[in-house]
Amino acid sequence: MNPEISKGLYVWGELDQESANLVEPLKKKVNEKLSGPDFDVHLTLSGPISYNESHDRKTFLNLSKRFSKLKLKLSGIGYKENYFQSLFLVVENSDELNSLKKSIDAETEVASREYFPHVSLFYGSANEDLKKNLCRDLAIPNEIYMEKISLVKIHKNIEQWETFKTFYLKK
């Protein structure tokens, strides 16, 4: 794992319960075949960020009041030879999603870089043909909904990642 991944907090977009109920079985099916680590389904929005309790709590409260629950359109399943992007649901970039990400980056002083929105189903290394075959067997939803942003402490051991604070987007 990249040692820098464990520094600071990451900002995740988390799904509403109905969307999580659609994505979790896909992740479970993939991980049964590929034996990946367990992790919460999420869309990484930004990070790592440093966090100042008195300043940033207000910042994220304000962000959560400015943005509504987001519809995320899915355009397929993708895979790469990248540990944290090994097999994933491809999320279409939207104006609303980009606006939220840019606002988070600006407020937390994270240098914006090209954004690749996705919801990981598997972390790890696996044979490309195996991933291709798995992709054919998965029926993915057309859209899912992100209802909250969470600050997550990242540890070297994925199973120890923990949500530090959560902020619900306005309804």
Side-chain angles (χ1 to χ4, degrees), residues 47-59:
I49 65 167
S50 55
Y51 185 77
N52 175 313
E53 178 76 35
S54 60
H55 173 265
D56 290 338
R57 188 176 191 303
K58 276 190 249 173
T59 297

Side-chain angles (χ1 to χ4, degrees), residues 35-47:
S35 301
D38 190 31
F39 57 91
D40 292 334
V41 170
H42 66 279
L43 172 82
T44 300
L45 294 167
S46 189

